[in-house]
Amino acid sequence: MEILVCPVCRGDLELEVFEENEREILTGRLTCRSCGEVYPIEEGIPNMLPPELRERR
Amino acid sequence: MRKRQLEILLQRVRGFTSPSATMEQYMTPPSLASDLLHMAHMRGELTQVLDLGCGTGILAIGAALMGAEAYGVDIDRQALRIARENAEMLGVHVDFVLGDIERIAFRRVKTIIMNPPFGAQHASLGDRAFLRKAVEIADVIYTIHNAGSLNFVRSFVSPCRIEEVYKARIPIKRTFEFHRKDVEWIEVELYRIVCK
């Protein structure tokens, strides 16, 4: 996910992995190094919706 | 991979289970998807690829089958779940991301491939938000629109330039109540837009 940046401030994102398999990250989170906003990774899919749109869909 | 082989593989891609009419969700037909991907591949523009509004992933997965580093973004989590299964079934890796086209941000990418909603339905975002995002981040864009969109798209993406136009007819199966026929053929145009 090298091409992603923070949707709020365009800052770089730091990846934390909670769960992964041989091929990919399944659960984790991306944290913005500039503004601190946190984006969850669930079922292998980073959720980059802005905080106010993020209710689980 | 030859175009016909790619098309046959892409025929295995699953579409939407419960398509949303307001989001104009329908899958890009495998024939048109393979035409688009082949065109980009021939020009050496299928190396790093982002699919905006990827739905169940056919364009991004096709790009990965052609050897690209491929990404797909969509606002529909259920579609992305199917997209991941499709990629796995075809043995390729694509990074899929949940995001809102008007709010998501990316670094610069080489190529965007997309079949955005045409804006035929009132509540749809239409193609403007997709074109706006595409010209902001890509060197080259392959994008599918309603026939007759050329003048609008040309002025909307300026100073990026439409360098090629490819016309096609695609069958849209009866998906929504307001579709009157079982299969409706619609005229579409594929544009290659250059921004660098």
PDB file of all heavy atoms in Angstrom, chain A residues 27-47:
ATOM      1  N   THR A  27      -5.303  -7.981   9.434  1.00  0.00           N
ATOM      2  CA  THR A  27      -5.798  -7.006  10.397  1.00  0.00           C
ATOM      3  C   THR A  27      -4.631  -6.134  10.848  1.00  0.00           C
ATOM      4  O   THR A  27      -3.528  -6.632  11.047  1.00  0.00           O
ATOM      5  CB  THR A  27      -6.386  -7.717  11.633  1.00  0.00           C
ATOM      6  OG1 THR A  27      -7.243  -8.767  11.202  1.00  0.00           O
ATOM      7  CG2 THR A  27      -7.184  -6.770  12.498  1.00  0.00           C
ATOM      8  N   GLY A  28      -4.900  -4.861  11.005  1.00  0.00           N
ATOM      9  CA  GLY A  28      -3.840  -3.962  11.444  1.00  0.00           C
ATOM     10  C   GLY A  28      -4.349  -2.544  11.458  1.00  0.00           C
ATOM     11  O   GLY A  28      -5.570  -2.313  11.506  1.00  0.00           O
ATOM     12  N   ARG A  29      -3.421  -1.610  11.437  1.00  0.00           N
ATOM     13  CA  ARG A  29      -3.867  -0.226  11.305  1.00  0.00           C
ATOM     14  C   ARG A  29      -2.780   0.646  10.698  1.00  0.00           C
ATOM     15  O   ARG A  29      -1.591   0.337  10.777  1.00  0.00           O
ATOM     16  CB  ARG A  29      -4.333   0.337  12.641  1.00  0.00           C
ATOM     17  CG  ARG A  29      -3.240   0.526  13.651  1.00  0.00           C
ATOM     18  CD  ARG A  29      -3.825   1.105  14.942  1.00  0.00           C
ATOM     19  NE  ARG A  29      -2.778   1.201  15.943  1.00  0.00           N
ATOM     20  CZ  ARG A  29      -3.001   1.459  17.224  1.00  0.00           C
ATOM     21  NH1 ARG A  29      -4.235   1.625  17.660  1.00  0.00           N
ATOM     22  NH2 ARG A  29      -1.990   1.542  18.053  1.00  0.00           N
ATOM     23  N   LEU A  30      -3.239   1.709  10.071  1.00  0.00           N
ATOM     24  CA  LEU A  30      -2.354   2.708   9.491  1.00  0.00           C
ATOM     25  C   LEU A  30      -2.536   3.976  10.309  1.00  0.00           C
ATOM     26  O   LEU A  30      -3.652   4.419  10.535  1.00  0.00           O
ATOM     27  CB  LEU A  30      -2.729   2.972   8.029  1.00  0.00           C
ATOM     28  CG  LEU A  30      -2.556   1.781   7.066  1.00  0.00           C
ATOM     29  CD1 LEU A  30      -3.357   2.008   5.779  1.00  0.00           C
ATOM     30  CD2 LEU A  30      -1.080   1.577   6.727  1.00  0.00           C
ATOM     31  N   THR A  31      -1.417   4.532  10.778  1.00  0.00           N
ATOM     32  CA  THR A  31      -1.495   5.756  11.572  1.00  0.00           C
ATOM     33  C   THR A  31      -0.744   6.866  10.845  1.00  0.00           C
ATOM     34  O   THR A  31       0.384   6.659  10.387  1.00  0.00           O
ATOM     35  CB  THR A  31      -0.863   5.541  12.959  1.00  0.00           C
ATOM     36  OG1 THR A  31      -1.503   4.431  13.585  1.00  0.00           O
ATOM     37  CG2 THR A  31      -1.029   6.778  13.840  1.00  0.00           C
ATOM     38  N   CYS A  32      -1.384   8.027  10.743  1.00  0.00           N
ATOM     39  CA  CYS A  32      -0.753   9.154  10.054  1.00  0.00           C
ATOM     40  C   CYS A  32       0.358   9.731  10.920  1.00  0.00           C
ATOM     41  O   CYS A  32       0.138  10.070  12.083  1.00  0.00           O
ATOM     42  CB  CYS A  32      -1.778  10.228   9.736  1.00  0.00           C
ATOM     43  SG  CYS A  32      -1.012  11.658   8.939  1.00  0.00           S
ATOM     44  N   ARG A  33       1.543   9.868  10.338  1.00  0.00           N
ATOM     45  CA  ARG A  33       2.687  10.407  11.079  1.00  0.00           C
ATOM     46  C   ARG A  33       2.547  11.909  11.320  1.00  0.00           C
ATOM     47  O   ARG A  33       3.218  12.453  12.190  1.00  0.00           O
ATOM     48  CB  ARG A  33       3.989  10.144  10.309  1.00  0.00           C
ATOM     49  CG  ARG A  33       4.398   8.680  10.290  1.00  0.00           C
ATOM     50  CD  ARG A  33       5.893   8.528   9.991  1.00  0.00           C
ATOM     51  NE  ARG A  33       6.290   7.134  10.072  1.00  0.00           N
ATOM     52  CZ  ARG A  33       6.464   6.337   9.012  1.00  0.00           C
ATOM     53  NH1 ARG A  33       6.304   6.824   7.798  1.00  0.00           N
ATOM     54  NH2 ARG A  33       6.815   5.085   9.170  1.00  0.00           N
ATOM     55  N   SER A  34       1.694  12.574  10.532  1.00  0.00           N
ATOM     56  CA  SER A  34       1.542  14.022  10.716  1.00  0.00           C
ATOM     57  C   SER A  34       0.398  14.366  11.664  1.00  0.00           C
ATOM     58  O   SER A  34       0.608  15.032  12.673  1.00  0.00           O
ATOM     59  CB  SER A  34       1.285  14.714   9.380  1.00  0.00           C
ATOM     60  OG  SER A  34       2.305  14.429   8.476  1.00  0.00           O
ATOM     61  N   CYS A  35      -0.816  13.892  11.346  1.00  0.00           N
ATOM     62  CA  CYS A  35      -1.964  14.342  12.144  1.00  0.00           C
ATOM     63  C   CYS A  35      -2.425  13.297  13.157  1.00  0.00           C
ATOM     64  O   CYS A  35      -3.284  13.577  13.992  1.00  0.00           O
ATOM     65  CB  CYS A  35      -3.135  14.743  11.239  1.00  0.00           C
ATOM     66  SG  CYS A  35      -3.967  13.365  10.432  1.00  0.00           S
ATOM     67  N   GLY A  36      -1.877  12.085  13.092  1.00  0.00           N
ATOM     68  CA  GLY A  36      -2.203  11.075  14.090  1.00  0.00           C
ATOM     69  C   GLY A  36      -3.486  10.306  13.845  1.00  0.00           C
ATOM     70  O   GLY A  36      -3.837   9.410  14.611  1.00  0.00           O
ATOM     71  N   GLU A  37      -4.221  10.624  12.777  1.00  0.00           N
ATOM     72  CA  GLU A  37      -5.460   9.896  12.473  1.00  0.00           C
ATOM     73  C   GLU A  37      -5.142   8.419  12.236  1.00  0.00           C
ATOM     74  O   GLU A  37      -4.098   8.089  11.690  1.00  0.00           O
ATOM     75  CB  GLU A  37      -6.117  10.517  11.229  1.00  0.00           C
ATOM     76  CG  GLU A  37      -7.524  10.054  10.944  1.00  0.00           C
ATOM     77  CD  GLU A  37      -8.470  10.264  12.116  1.00  0.00           C
ATOM     78  OE1 GLU A  37      -8.618  11.407  12.566  1.00  0.00           O
ATOM     79  OE2 GLU A  37      -9.053   9.261  12.576  1.00  0.00           O
ATOM     80  N   VAL A  38      -6.054   7.555  12.678  1.00  0.00           N
ATOM     81  CA  VAL A  38      -5.833   6.107  12.589  1.00  0.00           C
ATOM     82  C   VAL A  38      -6.846   5.486  11.631  1.00  0.00           C
ATOM     83  O   VAL A  38      -8.044   5.778  11.692  1.00  0.00           O
ATOM     84  CB  VAL A  38      -5.969   5.456  13.986  1.00  0.00           C
ATOM     85  CG1 VAL A  38      -5.848   3.939  13.891  1.00  0.00           C
ATOM     86  CG2 VAL A  38      -4.900   6.010  14.925  1.00  0.00           C
ATOM     87  N   TYR A  39      -6.367   4.635  10.733  1.00  0.00           N
ATOM     88  CA  TYR A  39      -7.220   3.955   9.748  1.00  0.00           C
ATOM     89  C   TYR A  39      -7.100   2.450   9.950  1.00  0.00           C
ATOM     90  O   TYR A  39      -6.015   1.898   9.814  1.00  0.00           O
ATOM     91  CB  TYR A  39      -6.808   4.336   8.319  1.00  0.00           C
ATOM     92  CG  TYR A  39      -6.869   5.826   8.098  1.00  0.00           C
ATOM     93  CD1 TYR A  39      -5.744   6.625   8.327  1.00  0.00           C
ATOM     94  CD2 TYR A  39      -8.051   6.434   7.717  1.00  0.00           C
ATOM     95  CE1 TYR A  39      -5.796   7.996   8.163  1.00  0.00           C
ATOM     96  CE2 TYR A  39      -8.119   7.807   7.553  1.00  0.00           C
ATOM     97  CZ  TYR A  39      -6.998   8.583   7.773  1.00  0.00           C
ATOM     98  OH  TYR A  39      -7.059   9.947   7.628  1.00  0.00           O
ATOM     99  N   PRO A  40      -8.204   1.773  10.279  1.00  0.00           N
ATOM    100  CA  PRO A  40      -8.137   0.338  10.534  1.00  0.00           C
ATOM    101  C   PRO A  40      -7.971  -0.485   9.254  1.00  0.00           C
ATOM    102  O   PRO A  40      -8.448  -0.081   8.188  1.00  0.00           O
ATOM    103  CB  PRO A  40      -9.496   0.031  11.187  1.00  0.00           C
ATOM    104  CG  PRO A  40     -10.406   1.114  10.716  1.00  0.00           C
ATOM    105  CD  PRO A  40      -9.561   2.329  10.472  1.00  0.00           C
ATOM    106  N   ILE A  41      -7.292  -1.616   9.374  1.00  0.00           N
ATOM    107  CA  ILE A  41      -7.264  -2.611   8.287  1.00  0.00           C
ATOM    108  C   ILE A  41      -8.070  -3.804   8.785  1.00  0.00           C
ATOM    109  O   ILE A  41      -7.743  -4.379   9.822  1.00  0.00           O
ATOM    110  CB  ILE A  41      -5.824  -3.061   7.956  1.00  0.00           C
ATOM    111  CG1 ILE A  41      -4.961  -1.866   7.562  1.00  0.00           C
ATOM    112  CG2 ILE A  41      -5.840  -4.121   6.839  1.00  0.00           C
ATOM    113  CD1 ILE A  41      -3.484  -2.196   7.359  1.00  0.00           C
ATOM    114  N   GLU A  42      -9.153  -4.127   8.080  1.00  0.00           N
ATOM    115  CA  GLU A  42     -10.037  -5.223   8.485  1.00  0.00           C
ATOM    116  C   GLU A  42     -10.266  -6.124   7.287  1.00  0.00           C
ATOM    117  O   GLU A  42     -10.477  -5.627   6.180  1.00  0.00           O
ATOM    118  CB  GLU A  42     -11.400  -4.678   8.937  1.00  0.00           C
ATOM    119  CG  GLU A  42     -11.335  -3.691  10.076  1.00  0.00           C
ATOM    120  CD  GLU A  42     -12.436  -2.621  10.000  1.00  0.00           C
ATOM    121  OE1 GLU A  42     -12.853  -2.253   8.888  1.00  0.00           O
ATOM    122  OE2 GLU A  42     -12.858  -2.165  11.059  1.00  0.00           O
ATOM    123  N   GLU A  43     -10.232  -7.429   7.507  1.00  0.00           N
ATOM    124  CA  GLU A  43     -10.435  -8.408   6.424  1.00  0.00           C
ATOM    125  C   GLU A  43      -9.508  -8.119   5.247  1.00  0.00           C
ATOM    126  O   GLU A  43      -9.886  -8.281   4.090  1.00  0.00           O
ATOM    127  CB  GLU A  43     -11.894  -8.385   5.930  1.00  0.00           C
ATOM    128  CG  GLU A  43     -12.928  -8.654   7.003  1.00  0.00           C
ATOM    129  CD  GLU A  43     -14.333  -8.398   6.476  1.00  0.00           C
ATOM    130  OE1 GLU A  43     -14.830  -9.243   5.728  1.00  0.00           O
ATOM    131  OE2 GLU A  43     -14.914  -7.351   6.806  1.00  0.00           O
ATOM    132  N   GLY A  44      -8.307  -7.639   5.543  1.00  0.00           N
ATOM    133  CA  GLY A  44      -7.328  -7.386   4.488  1.00  0.00           C
ATOM    134  C   GLY A  44      -7.538  -6.094   3.725  1.00  0.00           C
ATOM    135  O   GLY A  44      -6.826  -5.828   2.757  1.00  0.00           O
ATOM    136  N   ILE A  45      -8.509  -5.276   4.165  1.00  0.00           N
ATOM    137  CA  ILE A  45      -8.847  -4.060   3.421  1.00  0.00           C
ATOM    138  C   ILE A  45      -8.656  -2.818   4.302  1.00  0.00           C
ATOM    139  O   ILE A  45      -9.377  -2.643   5.281  1.00  0.00           O
ATOM    140  CB  ILE A  45     -10.317  -4.125   2.927  1.00  0.00           C
ATOM    141  CG1 ILE A  45     -10.532  -5.354   2.030  1.00  0.00           C
ATOM    142  CG2 ILE A  45     -10.698  -2.851   2.192  1.00  0.00           C
ATOM    143  CD1 ILE A  45     -11.998  -5.637   1.713  1.00  0.00           C
ATOM    144  N   PRO A  46      -7.696  -1.950   3.956  1.00  0.00           N
ATOM    145  CA  PRO A  46      -7.570  -0.697   4.702  1.00  0.00           C
ATOM    146  C   PRO A  46      -8.820   0.158   4.522  1.00  0.00           C
ATOM    147  O   PRO A  46      -9.323   0.299   3.408  1.00  0.00           O
ATOM    148  CB  PRO A  46      -6.359  -0.001   4.050  1.00  0.00           C
ATOM    149  CG  PRO A  46      -5.646  -1.061   3.285  1.00  0.00           C
ATOM    150  CD  PRO A  46      -6.677  -2.082   2.900  1.00  0.00           C
ATOM    151  N   ASN A  47      -9.327   0.676   5.623  1.00  0.00           N
ATOM    152  CA  ASN A  47     -10.513   1.535   5.587  1.00  0.00           C
ATOM    153  C   ASN A  47     -10.049   2.988   5.636  1.00  0.00           C
ATOM    154  O   ASN A  47      -9.750   3.522   6.694  1.00  0.00           O
ATOM    155  CB  ASN A  47     -11.414   1.200   6.775  1.00  0.00           C
ATOM    156  CG  ASN A  47     -12.699   2.008   6.768  1.00  0.00           C
ATOM    157  OD1 ASN A  47     -12.806   3.013   6.071  1.00  0.00           O
ATOM    158  ND2 ASN A  47     -13.663   1.575   7.556  1.00  0.00           N
TER     159      ASN A  47
END
